[in-house]
Amino acid sequence: MSKAEGSRAMLGDGDSTNLSRTFKYLMATQFLSRGIPFIFNSWIVRHLTEDDYALYAVQFHLFVTCVLFLSREGFRRACMRADFSNAAPMQKNAAKLLKVAWLSVPLGILITCAASMLVFWWQSISYTNPYAQAILINGFACILELLAEPLYILSQNLLLLRLRLIVETAATLLRCTTTYVLIASQIDMEKGIVFALSQTAYGACLFFGYWGYFLLFRVLRCSDLFPFRVGNAVGSDKQLSDMCMLFTLQSFRKLILQEGEKMVLVWLDTPYNQAVYGLVDKLGSLVVRLMFLPFEESSYATFARSASGNHPNKTVRLQNFLTQALKLVLLIALVVIAFGPSYSYSLIRLLYGRKWSDGEASTALQYYCLYVIFLAMNGTTEAFLHAVGTENQIKRSNDSLLVFSLVYLVLNVLLIRSAGAVGLIIANCLNMVLRIIYSAVFIKQYFKESSLFSFRSCLPSGWPTLLISGVVTYSTEKIVLDKENFWPTFFIHFAIGFTCFCISSFVIYLRERPFINRIVRFRDHTD
């Protein structure tokens, strides 16, 4: 990417708000960084005990996610809303951005230390315990990631999407390879240490990837990357700093909503149920991570840049972007609802074996497929709220998240005792419904002076065909699929589902051809 192109991106060039181009790179990033672990996970599940898999999928994941989310999420959200002066050079805008982004590093180190001490106290363990050593190694891995965070934020504002694609894919491949080599070689090492070392390899690759790019290619001068030297005339952006703190405070509440079920699992449930939920979450959330997460990020970036500009048709542009975004995620979610529950058992048996498919995992995955539509709606509507809302509106959103967090935790505690992993998924659905209602009310108020936007227009045409396909495939699973004679009956069941999918796709394409063509025709993106 040239400096001129970077300057146009930093200043919010109107062409760079194109939703589909941003989505292309973010989806490719998610596809590789999530698809590689998915393939790897199919192997590792068969070579770990339930207790070891609970460490890998739930406990260590929860520790790393909590530390990183609290440390950087607020900075990522706020810095994407930064509205820089068109008259200022890119170097000055970048220095102002980095002066704020660097604050995430000391905050992250404090949170890492606090989280490690909390685990030591809660588990009553000393530094000589292998679990404690694994926590410390994971903490070091988090710090490595955080040292690259300012440059990640800068690269996102410069729209260096190809850089993120390459660095995150390489880091994911290195993490998976490290775990595979250490487990396959059967060396005398605790599994917790193995998982922690693989996380460190991931963090180190991110650190060297981002720093190597900016230092070797000299996109900016070193003095701009470290805008704290004496005599630096660039002042800090107080409004941006305040917004970072506001979003960071919000991240504490969002963390409970995002990872609350894992906190309750670790606190109240057995390692077996932790492993079951971890298996279903990694498998069921694959669609979420591959499709909805990059789309939410690209939607947020598009909404934020469109809202921060002075376009004459800003409201119309935002309406069109929001309608297209909701229609796409709803279309994907309806496909998952139509076919996911009918093929949950078959998928788990094919990937992980009968040991997992004949247990609670298949039922939990069926409920997770229904949960996907709530995730789809909530991700996009909240992205719109956070991108266009004023500071006071976001503060009110924070207050509502606090209430939802408390309700969510109570539901988790109650439902996990009565329904296990399925209860956690039901609690998540109820929580998402509350958040969707809040965001929907905000959106209706935002567009109250316009009659163009309607949630009804976001529903893709042809959706009844998908629901009919869901009924057909669910019936054939009950009638045709035989667990004792699995392979012959599975092929019949699969053929019926494939036929229904083709018919549904044809009907939807006929009715939504202009919309689908717009999504498919990605424009070239040079970075």
Side-chain angles (χ1 to χ4, degrees):
M1 179 177 183
S2 69
K3 290 186 178 182
E5 290 169 324
S7 180
R8 288 195 297 271
M10 179 66 90
L11 296 176
D13 189 302
D15 188 53
S16 59
T17 61
N18 186 286
L19 180 63
S20 60
R21 291 184 304 149
T22 309
F23 176 59
K24 176 180 69 172
Y25 277 92
L26 291 177
M27 183 178 174
T29 302
Q30 290 297 324
F31 182 80
L32 292 170
S33 63
R34 305 299 180 181
I36 293 171
F38 170 72
I39 297 171
F40 159 79
N41 199 48
S42 302
W43 176 84
I44 194 175
V45 168
R46 298 174 181 268
H47 292 80
L48 294 178
T49 64
E50 286 86 349
D51 288 2
D52 288 336
Y53 191 71
L55 279 180
Y56 168 73
V58 177
Q59 296 176 28
F60 289 167
H61 169 82
L62 180 62
F63 176 83
V64 172
T65 300
C66 287
V67 169
L68 294 178
F69 192 85
L70 294 177
S71 303
R72 69 191 184 187
E73 180 66 15
F75 290 86
R76 289 185 172 186
R77 287 280 181 181
C79 290
M80 284 304 296
R81 292 171 56 114
D83 188 13
F84 294 110
S85 169
N86 289 357
M90 181 185 71
Q91 289 79 5
K92 186 175 180 179
N93 285 332
K96 287 180 68 176
L97 182 74
L98 286 171
K99 210 156 196 175
V100 175
W102 269 108
L103 297 176
S104 63
V105 176
L107 175 64
I109 293 173
L110 287 174
I111 291 175
T112 302
C113 295
S116 300
M117 292 172 63
L118 178 63
V119 172
F120 281 22
W121 169 79
W122 178 58
Q123 296 276 18
S124 300
I125 52 179
S126 65
Y127 298 101
T128 57
N129 188 293
Y131 189 93
Q133 294 169 3
I135 288 294
L136 292 175
I137 297 172
N138 273 308
F140 176 68
C142 291
I143 292 173
L144 281 176
E145 281 197 55
L146 290 169
L147 288 172
E149 186 61 24
L151 298 189
Y152 168 87
I153 291 173
L154 178 61
S155 69
Q156 289 298 101
N157 276 268
L158 292 173
L159 293 181
L160 294 171
L161 302 177
R162 188 179 298 168
L163 171 64
R164 179 180 174 184
L165 172 65
I166 294 171
V167 171
E168 291 193 7
T169 301
T172 301
L173 188 60
L174 181 60
R175 177 174 59 190
C176 292
T177 304
T178 302
T179 309
Y180 175 82
V181 169
L182 292 177
I183 291 178
S185 59
Q186 298 182 343
I187 59 176
D188 187 19
M189 182 183 294
E190 291 286 338
K191 292 296 190 295
I193 302 293
V194 170
F195 303 143
L197 289 175
S198 65
Q199 187 65 33
T200 303
Y202 178 85
C205 190
L206 291 180
F207 175 81
F208 288 112
Y210 282 107
W211 278 102
Y213 177 84
F214 280 94
L215 293 176
L216 291 176
F217 290 93
R218 297 186 178 277
V219 178
L220 294 168
R221 295 172 302 182
C222 289
S223 59
D224 295 322
L225 297 178
F226 298 97
F228 299 104
R229 63 187 178 84
V230 177
N232 192 319
V234 178
S236 60
D237 189 329
K238 187 177 186 306
Q239 183 181 3
L240 182 58
S241 300
D242 292 343
M243 191 62 71
C244 286
M245 291 302 103
L246 180 63
F247 277 117
T248 298
L249 290 174
Q250 186 187 66
S251 68
F252 281 83
R253 299 164 188 178
K254 287 191 69 175
L255 180 66
I256 296 175
L257 294 170
Q258 181 175 304
E259 301 293 339
E261 74 275 12
K262 292 187 179 71
M263 297 176 187
V264 174
L265 264 176
V266 173
W267 177 33
L268 293 177
D269 220 336
T270 62
Y272 174 77
N273 281 340
Q274 292 176 29
V276 167
Y277 186 83
L279 183 79
V280 171
D281 183 58
K282 284 188 176 296
L283 183 57
S285 63
L286 192 64
V287 172
V288 179
R289 290 166 178 158
L290 289 182
M291 300 294 294
F292 297 153
L293 185 59
F295 199 78
E296 181 183 338
E297 290 184 25
S298 58
S299 297
Y300 179 83
T302 302
F303 297 148
R305 292 183 183 278
S306 297
S308 65
N310 295 313
H311 305 289
N313 298 319
K314 180 170 70 174
T315 301
V316 175
R317 288 163 60 87
L318 284 170
Q319 288 174 345
N320 291 335
F321 282 139
L322 181 59
T323 301
Q324 291 179 26
L326 285 173
K327 182 175 286 190
L328 180 59
V329 295
L330 282 174
L331 178 59
I332 297 168
L334 287 171
V335 171
V336 174
I337 289 177
F339 298 100
S342 306
Y343 293 89
S344 295
Y345 174 86
S346 301
L347 183 61
I348 292 179
R349 181 152 177 177
L350 289 171
L351 291 175
Y352 309 124
R354 195 166 183 178
K355 164 189 170 184
W356 293 97
S357 64
D358 287 0
E360 190 183 358
S362 298
T363 304
L365 185 58
Q366 289 178 325
Y367 279 87
Y368 201 102
C369 291
L370 302 177
Y371 171 51
V372 163
I373 193 167
F374 300 109
L375 281 171
M377 283 286 292
N378 178 70
T380 303
T381 54
E382 277 197 352
F384 184 86
L385 189 159
H386 295 154
V388 307
T390 64
E391 187 171 337
N392 287 332
Q393 288 169 332
I394 292 173
K395 285 181 179 177
R396 288 199 294 271
S397 173
N398 287 350
D399 296 336
S400 69
L401 282 178
L402 178 60
V403 176
F404 298 157
S405 301
L406 296 175
V407 173
Y408 176 56
L409 285 178
V410 172
L411 287 172
N412 271 319
V413 173
L414 294 176
L415 292 174
I416 195 174
R417 296 182 184 276
S418 59
V422 171
L424 293 180
I425 297 171
I426 295 173
N428 271 306
C429 291
L430 296 174
N431 164 53
M432 287 295 168
V433 169
L434 294 175
R435 293 168 65 179
I436 290 168
I437 291 173
Y438 185 91
S439 299
V441 170
F442 170 84
I443 291 170
K444 293 297 288 185
Q445 287 293 318
Y446 189 86
F447 293 123
K448 65 182 178 181
E449 297 180 359
S450 173
S451 59
L452 297 177
F453 179 79
S454 169
F455 282 106
R456 187 184 299 273
S457 64
C458 301
L459 195 62
S461 301
W463 62 268
T465 310
L466 285 172
L467 296 187
I468 294 171
S469 297
V471 173
V472 171
T473 53
Y474 188 78
S475 301
T476 58
E477 183 191 35
K478 298 299 181 183
I479 297 171
V480 175
L481 191 65
D482 184 357
K483 295 179 182 179
E484 302 302 327
N485 189 27
F486 177 73
W487 284 106
T489 56
F490 166 72
F491 284 117
I492 298 173
H493 179 45
F494 177 80
I496 294 172
F498 183 74
T499 303
C500 290
F501 177 79
C502 291
I503 294 172
S504 299
S505 300
F506 181 71
V507 171
I508 291 172
Y509 179 73
L510 288 179
R511 297 187 179 184
E512 291 285 358
R513 181 180 297 178
F515 168 72
I516 293 173
N517 287 340
R518 279 199 303 272
I519 298 300
V520 171
R521 287 199 305 266
F522 289 126
R523 293 167 60 185
D524 292 335
H525 184 121
T526 56
D527 56 14

